Amino acid sequence: MPGEFDIIDKYFAPLAGPEGLALKDDASVWAIPSGFDLVVTKDILNEGVHFRTEDPPDLLAYKAIAVSVSDCVAKGASPAQYWLGLSLSQEPNDDWLRNFCGGLKRAQQDFGCTISGGDTTKSLGGLTVSVTVAGLIPSGKMIKRSGAKVGDAVFVTGELGNAALGLHELLSGKYGSSELVQAYQSPSPPLVFGQQLSCVANAAADISDGLIADAGHIARQSQVRLQIFQDRLPVGQLARAMVEREAGLAQKIWSGGDDYQILFTAPVSAEPMIKKIARESKTLVTNIGEVTVGDGVQLLDQNNEIVHVTSGGYEHF
Amino acid sequence: MPGEFDIIDKYFAPLAGPEGLALKDDASVWAIPSGFDLVVTKDILNEGVHFRTEDPPDLLAYKAIAVSVSDCVAKGASPAQYWLGLSLSQEPNDDWLRNFCGGLKRAQQDFGCTISGGDTTKSLGGLTVSVTVAGLIPSGKMIKRSGAKVGDAVFVTGELGNAALGLHELLSGKYGSSELVQAYQSPSPPLVFGQQLSCVANAAADISDGLIADAGHIARQSQVRLQIFQDRLPVGQLARAMVEREAGLAQKIWSGGDDYQILFTAPVSAEPMIKKIARESKTLVTNIGEVTVGDGVQLLDQNNEIVHVTSGGYEHF
């Protein structure tokens, strides 16, 4: 059974970049390049709340990084470093640590960031993984929630609902090799697209709580209304087939969480540029609505009738 | 019962600085002043491991910030911002939140930092508080563990053992208004002294795991030996009285943790400057030993005999 410092030396230190000082100091040190702002986000995943005890440790580690990277990417920033907090309810064994760090390594490669420090502790409760990610963005260019303007179009990257439907598959016991399950377990925030977003977007947020809830954040902070057209929502084939089998699942498209795509608003005139960036970064981007005077979010069906939204996103309390 | 977003708006947002965007966005954004490096540390406190369920929430919040600030201060950096991760096992009530945020506010005032973001989640286990602190230091000036040089003197700020003896008081049920208990519950990292330390110190670490253990970190990373003289250790009156009553407690002076003082090495020629900085910042600083060729840490008694150290600091696993 490895000790705390052995764990750090053997498993985490090889993942560190120069700023992490091989995880051998009390802190990391980072010479921020001039001309850049630092964008920082933090997320926690708790056993039994955000993940299941039986979830594979490599997928858990990957997701823990991805969900914080997602916030960073939605703000237009490039993830650079992260700090990992790990509270373990049991003495970790080498297998678990090897798998967990395999997931971290894969996330580092996919998202371009390295571990710079953290803390590994014992907990009397379940496993908790907390990740703080810091990214860089050219000075003054962070895309806030508060910048949406009346007349903007509303866009979303990727497909909606895959993760929530994947979780439904998992929980209903129909576990397979479905891409929906993969969307839930291994989120893919659109990193390359996001890095070009600050040239065109007025406001942005990642979709973690569900499309309607996160659109609500933008509407509230920008003091506008977001009108979203149901029949424009990007829904993949597998998701569409599932909703056709079980109509009650349709709301997972707009109210399910865990998409980790980017919702953003931009002037209509920017649409050609957005399509170009999307094409170059091989990212699906869909115009799903418009910003109007008013407040809140309206989901409209094909007859322009307001769809009653039953769930407004996840709150912990 | 407040909801998650209500909690953030009502309790945490008033503590945020401009970089935190009133905690209304997905991330914070920070224009790092040029000429400075960013020093980042992260610590986790778990219920039942690092604190007791009955510990007052304001003291818990204060300590959660102080322990990360301590690492930052020991590196010579000035704490500036922090991100708070809170996993709550129960729905929080207003009393608890008010008290907890009172502790955060007090810590912010004492340590000169503001909250810039975080995450508040439900946990099925106990309460977990994770804090990431970022501080600033003039470029290239961070004091590492690895810089100790043969011939350096070894110094420590403040008094040793107070916190460990305070915890002993608490656990043995002799709870009073003792300053020792206060040292355990409300650590006071020497902020002002630390900010001048990078002019003089070759190596530094905060004492969180206990003097001998943390001296061991410096010895290992610097590839030197630290010789520490037992009769020079700064021990306060209350601690001395307790050890006189119960001799077995003496080892808490050098092996107890939670001191959150700074252990550092510096050239002997720097001692007058160190005394000046100490005087100006009203900080007790004691020369407790020297750096020699070799490895590890030797604690020597008044006859220069090696003291057998029974505990080498706390490891979680």
Side-chain angles (χ1 to χ4, degrees):
Chain A
M1 179 200 71
E4 181 184 351
F5 297 119
D6 295 335
I7 291 174
I8 294 168
D9 280 352
K10 184 169 176 188
Y11 292 101
F12 295 124
L15 298 173
E19 297 86 357
L21 303 171
L23 310 186
K24 289 190 188 310
D25 214 302
D26 300 299
S28 61
V29 61
W30 188 7
I32 308 286
S34 71
F36 287 87
D37 287 345
L38 193 74
V39 171
V40 182
T41 83
K42 180 171 184 124
D43 280 288
I44 299 174
L45 301 185
N46 291 112
E47 182 175 341
V49 179
H50 302 90
F51 63 92
R52 306 170 315 148
T53 306
E54 62 268 33
D55 285 347
D58 60 332
L59 294 177
L60 169 61
Y62 189 91
K63 186 164 184 173
I65 306 298
V67 301
S68 269
V69 158
S70 172
D71 282 312
C72 203
V73 164
K75 304 284 98 181
S78 301
Q81 293 183 42
Y82 70 93
W83 294 264
L84 174 72
L86 204 52
S87 293
L88 297 155
S89 51
Q90 297 170 32
E91 290 160 2
N93 63 47
D94 284 301
D95 258 5
W96 191 93
L97 286 162
R98 198 178 305 114
N99 276 312
F100 187 83
C101 289
L104 294 182
K105 189 173 181 180
R106 204 160 47 85
Q108 291 193 179
Q109 287 163 346
D110 286 356
F111 305 132
C113 52
T114 52
I115 190 169
S116 280
D119 197 10
T120 304
T121 66
K122 189 163 65 177
S123 107
L124 299 187
L127 173 61
T128 295
V129 187
S130 82
V131 173
T132 307
V133 167
L136 295 175
I137 189 161
S139 298
K141 292 290 187 189
M142 190 182 97
I143 314 162
K144 298 180 184 171
R145 287 178 175 174
S146 57
K149 291 184 174 49
V150 171
D152 277 2
V154 180
F155 299 88
V156 69
T157 63
E159 296 173 348
L160 296 171
N162 288 353
L165 291 167
L167 176 60
H168 178 75
E169 269 199 26
L170 268 180
L171 296 181
S172 63
K174 301 170 199 161
Y175 186 97
S177 60
S178 158
E179 286 165 30
L180 299 181
V181 172
Q182 204 190 336
Y184 169 69
Q185 290 182 324
S186 287
S188 301
L191 183 73
V192 180
F193 179 81
Q195 285 165 358
Q196 315 245 25
L197 196 55
S198 67
C199 311
V200 290
N202 282 333
D206 78 326
I207 305 183
S208 51
D209 298 332
L211 172 69
I212 299 298
D214 289 304
H217 296 320
I218 290 180
R220 198 172 310 112
Q221 299 311 325
S222 299
Q223 299 184 286
V224 294
R225 171 173 295 165
L226 269 62
Q227 284 194 322
I228 293 173
F229 301 102
Q230 193 180 22
D231 58 0
R232 293 197 204 164
L233 297 182
V235 181
Q237 281 192 327
L238 286 170
R240 196 172 296 277
M242 229 171 129
V243 169
E244 277 167 11
R245 278 202 312 274
E246 206 173 327
L249 293 177
Q251 59 163 323
K252 293 206 181 284
I253 304 298
W254 53 82
S255 294
D258 272 343
D259 290 312
Y260 301 110
Q261 295 295 335
I262 309 177
L263 176 70
F264 63 100
T265 82
V268 175
S269 61
E271 194 154 2
M273 173 65 89
I274 291 167
K275 282 184 175 160
K276 179 171 178 286
I277 299 171
R279 203 166 47 239
E280 286 169 2
S281 62
K282 297 184 174 63
T283 306
L284 175 68
V285 178
T286 311
N287 179 329
I288 61 168
E290 55 201 43
V291 178
T292 68
V293 174
D295 57 17
V297 181
Q298 284 184 341
L299 183 65
L300 301 172
D301 69 12
Q302 56 202 6
N303 302 316
N304 265 359
E305 302 283 340
I306 293 175
V307 179
H308 178 62
V309 176
T310 49
S311 160
Y314 189 74
E315 283 203 59
H316 276 284
F317 302 105
Chain B
M1 179 201 72
E4 182 184 352
F5 297 119
D6 295 334
I7 292 175
I8 295 169
D9 280 352
K10 184 169 175 189
Y11 293 101
F12 296 124
L15 298 173
E19 298 86 358
L21 303 172
L23 311 186
K24 289 191 188 308
D25 214 302
D26 300 299
S28 61
V29 61
W30 189 7
I32 308 286
S34 71
F36 287 87
D37 287 344
L38 193 75
V39 171
V40 182
T41 84
K42 181 173 183 125
D43 280 289
I44 299 174
L45 302 185
N46 292 112
E47 182 175 342
V49 179
H50 303 89
F51 62 94
R52 305 169 316 147
T53 305
E54 61 269 34
D55 284 347
D58 60 331
L59 294 177
L60 169 61
Y62 189 91
K63 186 163 183 173
I65 306 299
V67 302
S68 269
V69 158
S70 172
D71 283 312
C72 203
V73 164
K75 304 284 100 182
S78 301
Q81 292 183 43
Y82 70 94
W83 294 264
L84 174 72
L86 204 52
S87 292
L88 297 154
S89 51
Q90 297 169 30
E91 289 160 1
N93 64 47
D94 284 300
D95 258 4
W96 191 93
L97 286 162
R98 198 177 305 113
N99 276 311
F100 188 84
C101 288
L104 294 182
K105 189 172 182 181
R106 203 159 49 83
Q108 291 193 178
Q109 286 163 346
D110 286 356
F111 305 132
C113 51
T114 52
I115 190 169
S116 281
D119 197 9
T120 303
T121 66
K122 190 163 66 176
S123 106
L124 299 188
L127 173 61
T128 295
V129 187
S130 83
V131 173
T132 307
V133 167
L136 295 175
I137 189 162
S139 299
K141 292 289 186 188
M142 191 183 97
I143 315 162
K144 297 180 184 170
R145 289 178 175 174
S146 57
K149 291 183 174 50
V150 172
D152 276 1
V154 179
F155 298 88
V156 69
T157 64
E159 295 173 347
L160 296 171
N162 289 353
L165 291 167
L167 176 60
H168 178 76
E169 269 199 27
L170 267 180
L171 295 182
S172 63
K174 301 170 200 162
Y175 186 98
S177 60
S178 159
E179 286 164 32
L180 299 181
V181 172
Q182 204 190 336
Y184 169 70
Q185 289 182 324
S186 287
S188 301
L191 184 72
V192 180
F193 179 81
Q195 284 165 359
Q196 315 244 26
L197 196 56
S198 66
C199 311
V200 290
N202 282 333
D206 78 327
I207 305 184
S208 51
D209 297 332
L211 172 69
I212 299 298
D214 289 303
H217 296 319
I218 290 179
R220 197 173 310 112
Q221 299 311 325
S222 299
Q223 300 185 287
V224 294
R225 170 172 296 166
L226 267 62
Q227 284 193 325
I228 292 173
F229 301 102
Q230 194 180 23
D231 57 2
R232 293 197 204 164
L233 297 182
V235 181
Q237 281 193 327
L238 287 170
R240 197 172 295 278
M242 228 172 131
V243 169
E244 277 167 11
R245 280 203 310 274
E246 204 173 330
L249 293 176
Q251 58 164 323
K252 293 208 182 283
I253 304 297
W254 53 81
S255 294
D258 272 343
D259 290 311
Y260 302 109
Q261 295 295 336
I262 309 177
L263 175 71
F264 64 99
T265 82
V268 175
S269 61
E271 194 155 3
M273 173 66 89
I274 290 166
K275 283 184 174 161
K276 181 171 177 283
I277 300 172
R279 203 166 47 239
E280 285 169 2
S281 63
K282 299 184 173 60
T283 306
L284 175 68
V285 179
T286 312
N287 178 328
I288 60 168
E290 54 201 43
V291 178
T292 68
V293 173
D295 56 18
V297 181
Q298 283 184 343
L299 183 66
L300 301 172
D301 69 12
Q302 56 201 7
N303 303 315
N304 264 0
E305 301 282 342
I306 293 175
V307 179
H308 178 63
V309 176
T310 50
S311 160
Y314 189 75
E315 283 203 59
H316 277 284
F317 302 104

